[in-house]
Amino acid sequence: MAIASDIERAMEDSSWIRRMFELGIQLRQERGPENVFDLSLGNPIAEPPPQFFDELRSYAGADTPGAHRYMPNSGYVETRQAVADALSDETGLSYGPDHIVMTVGAAAALNVVVHSLCDRDDEVIILTPFFAEYLFYASNHTAKPVVVGCDDEFIPDLDELERKLSERTKIVIVNSPNNPSGAMYPGSFIEALGDLLRQKSTEFGSEIFLVSDEPYRKILFDEHVYPFPQLAYERTITVTSHAKDLALPGDRIGYIAVHPGYDDGGQLMDAMIFCNRVLGFVNAPAIMQHLVRNLQTVTIDTADYQQKRDYLYGVLTAAGYEVRKPEGAFYMFPKSPGDDEMQLVAALQRQGVLVVPGRGFGMEGYFRISYCVEQRELEGAAPGFVAAMSELTGG
Ligand SMILES: Cc1ncc(COP(=O)(O)O)c(C=O)c1O
């Protein structure tokens, strides 16, 4: 086999994802696509807001000379200024263009941050349940992922975190609202986390960074107010994208923002701009930087996702599932009846409903439902949730 053994192993470890995908194709062939309800993907059905198409049309009509050339690796200064202005307005901190790097989505941003900060075997703390790619974003750069558990509400266990922080800890990644649980970490948790990281950095004589991965920050329900981690801790690096808040996942645009009060911010920025280049991203797509410049305060209509959350929550609780009502994002993470969620996932498949087992997010006994789908898909899946529960509980 010519491929790297690490990659071969990683592909084997995540082969259930491929199996799910293949099973979806097989089920569609067997039953007809209208009888298969795929709730496994986080690919939003929302269309970008009308302002995006206005920007696109006006950009296409302008034929601006030089608009497609290379630019500084951190991105256009006008776009970084617009991002900085919006972040300053929201947080009350003084962000400027020199605190921002435009990136190829949040995925690239996370890789750039880890590559910039971690020496070999430095530790990256990942809080359960987690976006599975974090494990690779650490090991891609020879850092070591260290996993920390959570309570029944999916709020990370701070005592366990305290025990696992070490001289080698470089980064703690937080993701709120969370994929897969939809939980927004409360302000009290964020403040306690900031205090702990400050205390441990002093104790170890090291610098522990809080990397806040926020692609779902603007998808919040019920008037919840987002507790900004950078207000609780000065070594916060914000990472985000417009994949979900402007529904542009295929267009690959996001950014990194370094806390304006961080002392060595200049050196850190230089490192991240360098890493953006040498990891091969070079710069974020020029067109997208032009388009999102004027969209920093625009978000898709979240009311539709909230209605779907309410509908699905009603279906699941009526069917007897234990599930925490999410504050944001577009995922739900119910407990499976019985400890082995693979049995439930298989029972749901027999009903034509595709979901993702919790072990893919570091939590066995749970499963993830993505409800960023058409309402008819959710309604089609509803009887399957009831039938799978009866099958497993003998009800
Ligand atoms: C928690 C989380 N972080 C990062 C990403 C990657 O986002 P992007 O498409 O902007 O790279 C995703 C995508 O689903 C995600 O759920």
Side-chain angles (χ1 to χ4, degrees), residues 296-347:
Q296 288 305 307
T297 55
V298 177
T299 307
I300 50 140
D301 177 12
T302 56
D304 182 51
Y305 287 141
Q306 180 164 334
Q307 272 168 22
K308 288 180 169 132
R309 176 204 61 172
D310 291 343
Y311 172 78
L312 183 62
Y313 183 75
V315 166
L316 293 173
T317 47
Y321 290 88
E322 234 179 273
V323 56
R324 179 188 184 283
K325 196 172 197 180
E327 288 93 353
F330 38 60
Y331 307 105
M332 230 174 261
F333 202 51
K335 212 171 183 158
S336 78
D339 289 340
D340 181 3
E341 84 275 18
M342 295 310 282
Q343 283 182 6
L344 179 81
V345 170

Short mmCIF file of all heavy atoms in Angstrom, two decimals, residues 296-347:
data_model
loop_
_atom_site.label_atom_id
_atom_site.label_comp_id
_atom_site.label_asym_id
_atom_site.label_seq_id
_atom_site.Cartn_x
_atom_site.Cartn_y
_atom_site.Cartn_z
N GLN A 296 -21.20 41.42 7.34
CA GLN A 296 -20.77 41.01 8.68
C GLN A 296 -21.87 41.09 9.72
O GLN A 296 -21.80 40.47 10.77
CB GLN A 296 -19.54 41.80 9.12
CG GLN A 296 -18.27 41.40 8.38
CD GLN A 296 -17.99 39.91 8.49
OE1 GLN A 296 -17.95 39.36 9.59
NE2 GLN A 296 -17.81 39.23 7.37
N THR A 297 -22.91 41.88 9.44
CA THR A 297 -24.01 41.95 10.43
C THR A 297 -25.26 41.24 9.91
O THR A 297 -26.35 41.39 10.49
CB THR A 297 -24.35 43.41 10.77
OG1 THR A 297 -24.63 44.10 9.55
CG2 THR A 297 -23.19 44.09 11.48
N VAL A 298 -25.10 40.48 8.82
CA VAL A 298 -26.25 39.77 8.23
C VAL A 298 -26.18 38.30 8.62
O VAL A 298 -25.10 37.72 8.69
CB VAL A 298 -26.21 39.91 6.68
CG1 VAL A 298 -27.33 39.13 6.03
CG2 VAL A 298 -26.24 41.37 6.28
N THR A 299 -27.34 37.70 8.90
CA THR A 299 -27.41 36.27 9.25
C THR A 299 -28.64 35.68 8.56
O THR A 299 -29.63 36.38 8.38
CB THR A 299 -27.57 36.10 10.79
OG1 THR A 299 -26.55 36.83 11.44
CG2 THR A 299 -27.49 34.66 11.21
N ILE A 300 -28.58 34.41 8.22
CA ILE A 300 -29.77 33.73 7.71
C ILE A 300 -30.90 33.83 8.74
O ILE A 300 -30.65 34.06 9.92
CB ILE A 300 -29.50 32.23 7.42
CG1 ILE A 300 -28.83 31.60 8.64
CG2 ILE A 300 -28.74 32.00 6.16
CD1 ILE A 300 -29.32 30.26 8.93
N ASP A 301 -32.11 33.57 8.28
CA ASP A 301 -33.26 33.62 9.19
C ASP A 301 -33.24 32.36 10.07
O ASP A 301 -33.42 31.25 9.58
CB ASP A 301 -34.53 33.66 8.32
CG ASP A 301 -35.79 33.65 9.16
OD1 ASP A 301 -35.66 33.83 10.40
OD2 ASP A 301 -36.87 33.45 8.60
N THR A 302 -33.00 32.56 11.36
CA THR A 302 -32.86 31.40 12.25
C THR A 302 -34.22 30.86 12.73
O THR A 302 -34.27 29.80 13.34
CB THR A 302 -32.00 31.75 13.49
OG1 THR A 302 -32.61 32.87 14.13
CG2 THR A 302 -30.58 32.08 13.12
N ALA A 303 -35.29 31.60 12.41
CA ALA A 303 -36.63 31.17 12.89
C ALA A 303 -37.00 29.80 12.33
O ALA A 303 -37.63 28.98 13.01
CB ALA A 303 -37.68 32.21 12.50
N ASP A 304 -36.58 29.55 11.09
CA ASP A 304 -36.90 28.26 10.46
C ASP A 304 -36.24 27.11 11.23
O ASP A 304 -36.87 26.09 11.51
CB ASP A 304 -36.42 28.30 9.00
CG ASP A 304 -36.76 27.02 8.28
OD1 ASP A 304 -37.94 26.61 8.34
OD2 ASP A 304 -35.84 26.42 7.67
N TYR A 305 -34.96 27.29 11.60
CA TYR A 305 -34.27 26.24 12.36
C TYR A 305 -34.92 26.07 13.74
O TYR A 305 -35.03 24.96 14.25
CB TYR A 305 -32.79 26.57 12.53
CG TYR A 305 -31.95 26.40 11.27
CD1 TYR A 305 -30.96 27.30 10.94
CD2 TYR A 305 -32.15 25.32 10.42
CE1 TYR A 305 -30.18 27.14 9.79
CE2 TYR A 305 -31.39 25.15 9.27
CZ TYR A 305 -30.40 26.07 8.96
OH TYR A 305 -29.64 25.90 7.84
N GLN A 306 -35.35 27.18 14.32
CA GLN A 306 -35.96 27.08 15.65
C GLN A 306 -37.27 26.28 15.57
O GLN A 306 -37.55 25.44 16.43
CB GLN A 306 -36.22 28.48 16.23
CG GLN A 306 -36.86 28.40 17.61
CD GLN A 306 -36.79 29.71 18.38
OE1 GLN A 306 -35.92 30.53 18.16
NE2 GLN A 306 -37.72 29.91 19.29
N GLN A 307 -38.06 26.53 14.51
CA GLN A 307 -39.31 25.77 14.34
C GLN A 307 -39.03 24.29 14.18
O GLN A 307 -39.72 23.44 14.73
CB GLN A 307 -40.06 26.26 13.10
CG GLN A 307 -40.97 27.42 13.39
CD GLN A 307 -41.46 28.07 12.12
OE1 GLN A 307 -41.45 27.45 11.05
NE2 GLN A 307 -41.87 29.31 12.22
N LYS A 308 -37.97 23.99 13.43
CA LYS A 308 -37.62 22.58 13.21
C LYS A 308 -37.13 21.95 14.51
O LYS A 308 -37.44 20.80 14.80
CB LYS A 308 -36.57 22.46 12.11
CG LYS A 308 -37.19 22.75 10.75
CD LYS A 308 -36.22 22.65 9.63
CE LYS A 308 -37.01 22.69 8.32
NZ LYS A 308 -36.49 23.60 7.35
N ARG A 309 -36.35 22.72 15.27
CA ARG A 309 -35.91 22.19 16.58
C ARG A 309 -37.14 21.84 17.43
O ARG A 309 -37.22 20.76 18.02
CB ARG A 309 -35.07 23.23 17.31
CG ARG A 309 -34.68 22.76 18.71
CD ARG A 309 -34.37 23.89 19.66
NE ARG A 309 -35.51 24.78 19.88
CZ ARG A 309 -35.55 25.74 20.78
NH1 ARG A 309 -34.49 25.96 21.54
NH2 ARG A 309 -36.62 26.51 20.92
N ASP A 310 -38.12 22.77 17.46
CA ASP A 310 -39.29 22.54 18.31
C ASP A 310 -40.08 21.32 17.83
O ASP A 310 -40.55 20.52 18.63
CB ASP A 310 -40.18 23.79 18.31
CG ASP A 310 -39.50 24.94 19.05
OD1 ASP A 310 -38.55 24.67 19.81
OD2 ASP A 310 -39.90 26.10 18.85
N TYR A 311 -40.22 21.21 16.51
CA TYR A 311 -40.97 20.08 15.95
C TYR A 311 -40.28 18.76 16.34
O TYR A 311 -40.90 17.84 16.88
CB TYR A 311 -41.08 20.21 14.43
CG TYR A 311 -41.66 18.98 13.79
CD1 TYR A 311 -43.04 18.75 13.83
CD2 TYR A 311 -40.85 18.02 13.19
CE1 TYR A 311 -43.59 17.59 13.29
CE2 TYR A 311 -41.38 16.87 12.64
CZ TYR A 311 -42.75 16.66 12.69
OH TYR A 311 -43.28 15.52 12.17
N LEU A 312 -38.97 18.69 16.07
CA LEU A 312 -38.24 17.44 16.31
C LEU A 312 -38.20 17.10 17.80
O LEU A 312 -38.36 15.93 18.18
CB LEU A 312 -36.81 17.59 15.76
CG LEU A 312 -35.93 16.35 15.86
CD1 LEU A 312 -36.49 15.20 15.04
CD2 LEU A 312 -34.51 16.67 15.39
N TYR A 313 -38.02 18.12 18.62
CA TYR A 313 -37.98 17.89 20.07
C TYR A 313 -39.31 17.30 20.52
O TYR A 313 -39.35 16.35 21.32
CB TYR A 313 -37.71 19.23 20.78
CG TYR A 313 -37.58 19.11 22.27
CD1 TYR A 313 -36.43 18.57 22.85
CD2 TYR A 313 -38.62 19.52 23.12
CE1 TYR A 313 -36.32 18.46 24.23
CE2 TYR A 313 -38.51 19.40 24.49
CZ TYR A 313 -37.35 18.87 25.04
OH TYR A 313 -37.24 18.74 26.40
N GLY A 314 -40.41 17.81 19.97
CA GLY A 314 -41.74 17.30 20.29
C GLY A 314 -41.88 15.84 19.87
O GLY A 314 -42.36 14.99 20.64
N VAL A 315 -41.44 15.53 18.65
CA VAL A 315 -41.53 14.14 18.14
C VAL A 315 -40.74 13.20 19.04
O VAL A 315 -41.22 12.13 19.44
CB VAL A 315 -40.99 14.07 16.69
CG1 VAL A 315 -40.75 12.63 16.25
CG2 VAL A 315 -41.93 14.78 15.72
N LEU A 316 -39.52 13.59 19.38
CA LEU A 316 -38.64 12.69 20.12
C LEU A 316 -39.11 12.48 21.55
O LEU A 316 -39.13 11.34 22.04
CB LEU A 316 -37.20 13.24 20.13
CG LEU A 316 -36.50 13.26 18.77
CD1 LEU A 316 -35.16 13.98 18.88
CD2 LEU A 316 -36.27 11.85 18.23
N THR A 317 -39.51 13.55 22.21
CA THR A 317 -39.94 13.39 23.62
C THR A 317 -41.24 12.59 23.68
O THR A 317 -41.40 11.74 24.55
CB THR A 317 -40.08 14.76 24.33
OG1 THR A 317 -40.81 15.63 23.49
CG2 THR A 317 -38.73 15.38 24.63
N ALA A 318 -42.15 12.83 22.71
CA ALA A 318 -43.40 12.05 22.70
C ALA A 318 -43.12 10.57 22.48
O ALA A 318 -43.83 9.70 23.00
CB ALA A 318 -44.34 12.59 21.61
N ALA A 319 -42.06 10.27 21.73
CA ALA A 319 -41.72 8.86 21.46
C ALA A 319 -40.93 8.25 22.62
O ALA A 319 -40.58 7.06 22.56
CB ALA A 319 -40.92 8.76 20.17
N GLY A 320 -40.59 9.05 23.63
CA GLY A 320 -39.91 8.50 24.81
C GLY A 320 -38.40 8.66 24.82
O GLY A 320 -37.72 8.08 25.66
N TYR A 321 -37.85 9.43 23.88
CA TYR A 321 -36.39 9.64 23.88
C TYR A 321 -36.03 10.67 24.95
O TYR A 321 -36.76 11.63 25.18
CB TYR A 321 -35.89 10.15 22.53
CG TYR A 321 -35.97 9.13 21.43
CD1 TYR A 321 -37.13 8.98 20.67
CD2 TYR A 321 -34.88 8.30 21.15
CE1 TYR A 321 -37.21 8.05 19.65
CE2 TYR A 321 -34.95 7.36 20.13
CZ TYR A 321 -36.11 7.23 19.39
OH TYR A 321 -36.19 6.31 18.39
N GLU A 322 -34.85 10.45 25.56
CA GLU A 322 -34.31 11.45 26.49
C GLU A 322 -33.46 12.39 25.66
O GLU A 322 -32.49 11.96 25.02
CB GLU A 322 -33.38 10.73 27.47
CG GLU A 322 -33.69 10.96 28.92
CD GLU A 322 -32.72 10.17 29.77
OE1 GLU A 322 -33.03 8.99 30.04
OE2 GLU A 322 -31.67 10.71 30.13
N VAL A 323 -33.83 13.66 25.64
CA VAL A 323 -33.07 14.59 24.78
C VAL A 323 -33.02 15.97 25.40
O VAL A 323 -34.01 16.45 25.96
CB VAL A 323 -33.66 14.62 23.34
CG1 VAL A 323 -35.12 14.96 23.32
CG2 VAL A 323 -32.89 15.55 22.43
N ARG A 324 -31.88 16.61 25.30
CA ARG A 324 -31.72 17.97 25.83
C ARG A 324 -32.08 18.95 24.71
O ARG A 324 -31.62 18.80 23.58
CB ARG A 324 -30.27 18.17 26.25
CG ARG A 324 -29.96 19.54 26.80
CD ARG A 324 -28.44 19.67 26.99
NE ARG A 324 -28.08 20.91 27.60
CZ ARG A 324 -28.04 22.07 26.96
NH1 ARG A 324 -28.36 22.15 25.68
NH2 ARG A 324 -27.68 23.17 27.60
N LYS A 325 -32.92 19.94 25.07
CA LYS A 325 -33.35 20.91 24.05
C LYS A 325 -32.20 21.87 23.75
O LYS A 325 -31.73 22.57 24.66
CB LYS A 325 -34.56 21.69 24.58
CG LYS A 325 -35.32 22.42 23.53
CD LYS A 325 -36.59 23.00 24.13
CE LYS A 325 -37.57 23.38 23.05
NZ LYS A 325 -38.79 23.94 23.62
N PRO A 326 -31.75 21.90 22.50
CA PRO A 326 -30.58 22.73 22.18
C PRO A 326 -30.90 24.24 22.19
O PRO A 326 -32.02 24.63 21.86
CB PRO A 326 -30.21 22.31 20.76
CG PRO A 326 -30.98 21.08 20.47
CD PRO A 326 -32.19 21.12 21.34
N GLU A 327 -29.90 25.04 22.53
CA GLU A 327 -30.05 26.50 22.47
C GLU A 327 -29.69 27.04 21.08
O GLU A 327 -29.99 28.19 20.79
CB GLU A 327 -29.13 27.19 23.48
CG GLU A 327 -29.54 27.04 24.93
CD GLU A 327 -28.86 25.87 25.61
OE1 GLU A 327 -28.17 25.08 24.91
OE2 GLU A 327 -29.04 25.70 26.82
N GLY A 328 -28.97 26.24 20.29
CA GLY A 328 -28.53 26.78 19.00
C GLY A 328 -28.05 25.70 18.05
O GLY A 328 -28.25 24.51 18.30
N ALA A 329 -27.40 26.13 16.96
CA ALA A 329 -26.93 25.27 15.87
C ALA A 329 -28.13 24.54 15.24
O ALA A 329 -29.27 25.02 15.36
CB ALA A 329 -25.86 24.29 16.33
N PHE A 330 -27.90 23.41 14.58
CA PHE A 330 -29.05 22.69 14.01
C PHE A 330 -28.89 21.19 14.17
O PHE A 330 -29.12 20.41 13.25
CB PHE A 330 -29.33 23.09 12.55
CG PHE A 330 -28.09 23.31 11.70
CD1 PHE A 330 -27.18 22.30 11.49
CD2 PHE A 330 -27.89 24.54 11.09
CE1 PHE A 330 -26.07 22.51 10.71
CE2 PHE A 330 -26.77 24.77 10.29
CZ PHE A 330 -25.86 23.74 10.10
N TYR A 331 -28.45 20.83 15.38
CA TYR A 331 -28.27 19.41 15.71
C TYR A 331 -28.99 19.09 17.01
O TYR A 331 -29.16 19.95 17.87
CB TYR A 331 -26.79 19.09 15.93
CG TYR A 331 -25.88 19.50 14.80
CD1 TYR A 331 -25.06 20.62 14.91
CD2 TYR A 331 -25.86 18.78 13.61
CE1 TYR A 331 -24.22 21.00 13.88
CE2 TYR A 331 -25.02 19.16 12.57
CZ TYR A 331 -24.21 20.27 12.71
OH TYR A 331 -23.39 20.64 11.68
N MET A 332 -29.38 17.81 17.15
CA MET A 332 -29.89 17.32 18.41
C MET A 332 -29.13 16.04 18.74
O MET A 332 -28.74 15.30 17.82
CB MET A 332 -31.39 17.05 18.30
CG MET A 332 -32.17 17.70 19.42
SD MET A 332 -33.93 17.53 19.21
CE MET A 332 -34.34 19.12 18.53
N PHE A 333 -28.93 15.77 20.04
CA PHE A 333 -28.05 14.66 20.43
C PHE A 333 -28.76 13.83 21.50
O PHE A 333 -28.40 13.88 22.68
CB PHE A 333 -26.74 15.27 20.95
CG PHE A 333 -25.56 14.35 20.92
CD1 PHE A 333 -25.22 13.65 19.76
CD2 PHE A 333 -24.74 14.20 22.04
CE1 PHE A 333 -24.12 12.82 19.72
CE2 PHE A 333 -23.63 13.37 22.01
CZ PHE A 333 -23.32 12.68 20.84
N PRO A 334 -29.79 13.05 21.09
CA PRO A 334 -30.55 12.28 22.08
C PRO A 334 -29.77 11.07 22.58
O PRO A 334 -28.85 10.59 21.92
CB PRO A 334 -31.79 11.82 21.30
CG PRO A 334 -31.73 12.50 19.99
CD PRO A 334 -30.33 12.90 19.74
N LYS A 335 -30.23 10.58 23.74
CA LYS A 335 -29.69 9.35 24.30
C LYS A 335 -30.36 8.19 23.59
O LYS A 335 -31.56 8.27 23.31
CB LYS A 335 -30.08 9.32 25.78
CG LYS A 335 -29.10 8.65 26.63
CD LYS A 335 -29.45 8.84 28.09
CE LYS A 335 -28.33 8.17 28.82
NZ LYS A 335 -28.06 8.50 30.09
N SER A 336 -29.59 7.15 23.30
CA SER A 336 -30.25 6.00 22.68
C SER A 336 -30.81 5.11 23.79
O SER A 336 -30.19 5.01 24.85
CB SER A 336 -29.27 5.22 21.81
OG SER A 336 -28.44 4.44 22.60
N PRO A 337 -31.97 4.50 23.57
CA PRO A 337 -32.45 3.54 24.57
C PRO A 337 -31.49 2.34 24.55
O PRO A 337 -31.23 1.80 23.49
CB PRO A 337 -33.84 3.15 24.04
CG PRO A 337 -33.86 3.57 22.60
CD PRO A 337 -32.82 4.61 22.39
N GLY A 338 -30.94 1.99 25.69
CA GLY A 338 -29.88 0.94 25.70
C GLY A 338 -28.54 1.62 25.50
O GLY A 338 -28.47 2.71 24.91
N ASP A 339 -27.47 0.96 26.01
CA ASP A 339 -26.16 1.62 26.01
C ASP A 339 -25.49 1.65 24.64
O ASP A 339 -24.66 2.49 24.37
CB ASP A 339 -25.22 0.91 26.99
CG ASP A 339 -25.64 1.20 28.42
OD1 ASP A 339 -26.37 2.20 28.61
OD2 ASP A 339 -25.27 0.43 29.33
N ASP A 340 -25.87 0.69 23.79
CA ASP A 340 -25.18 0.61 22.50
C ASP A 340 -26.00 1.33 21.43
O ASP A 340 -27.00 0.81 20.93
CB ASP A 340 -24.98 -0.87 22.12
CG ASP A 340 -24.24 -1.01 20.80
OD1 ASP A 340 -23.85 0.04 20.24
OD2 ASP A 340 -24.07 -2.15 20.34
N GLU A 341 -25.54 2.53 21.09
CA GLU A 341 -26.33 3.32 20.13
C GLU A 341 -26.33 2.73 18.73
O GLU A 341 -27.15 3.07 17.91
CB GLU A 341 -25.88 4.78 20.13
CG GLU A 341 -24.69 5.12 19.24
CD GLU A 341 -23.35 4.87 19.91
OE1 GLU A 341 -23.30 4.13 20.91
OE2 GLU A 341 -22.33 5.41 19.41
N MET A 342 -25.38 1.79 18.48
CA MET A 342 -25.33 1.21 17.14
C MET A 342 -26.61 0.40 16.87
O MET A 342 -27.06 0.32 15.73
CB MET A 342 -24.10 0.31 16.97
CG MET A 342 -22.79 1.04 17.03
SD MET A 342 -22.69 2.50 15.98
CE MET A 342 -22.40 1.77 14.38
N GLN A 343 -27.19 -0.16 17.95
CA GLN A 343 -28.44 -0.92 17.76
C GLN A 343 -29.57 0.02 17.34
O GLN A 343 -30.38 -0.30 16.48
CB GLN A 343 -28.83 -1.61 19.06
CG GLN A 343 -28.00 -2.84 19.32
CD GLN A 343 -28.44 -3.54 20.60
OE1 GLN A 343 -29.44 -3.16 21.22
NE2 GLN A 343 -27.70 -4.55 20.99
N LEU A 344 -29.61 1.19 17.97
CA LEU A 344 -30.65 2.16 17.61
C LEU A 344 -30.42 2.68 16.19
O LEU A 344 -31.36 2.80 15.40
CB LEU A 344 -30.69 3.34 18.59
CG LEU A 344 -31.77 4.33 18.16
CD1 LEU A 344 -33.14 3.88 18.61
CD2 LEU A 344 -31.49 5.72 18.64
N VAL A 345 -29.16 2.98 15.88
CA VAL A 345 -28.84 3.50 14.55
C VAL A 345 -29.29 2.47 13.50
O VAL A 345 -29.89 2.82 12.48
CB VAL A 345 -27.32 3.81 14.44
CG1 VAL A 345 -26.92 4.11 13.01
CG2 VAL A 345 -26.98 4.99 15.34
N ALA A 346 -29.06 1.16 13.79
CA ALA A 346 -29.46 0.11 12.85
C ALA A 346 -31.00 0.03 12.76
O ALA A 346 -31.56 -0.13 11.67
CB ALA A 346 -28.88 -1.23 13.28
N ALA A 347 -31.67 0.15 13.93
CA ALA A 347 -33.14 0.10 13.92
C ALA A 347 -33.71 1.27 13.13
O ALA A 347 -34.69 1.11 12.37
CB ALA A 347 -33.67 0.11 15.36
#
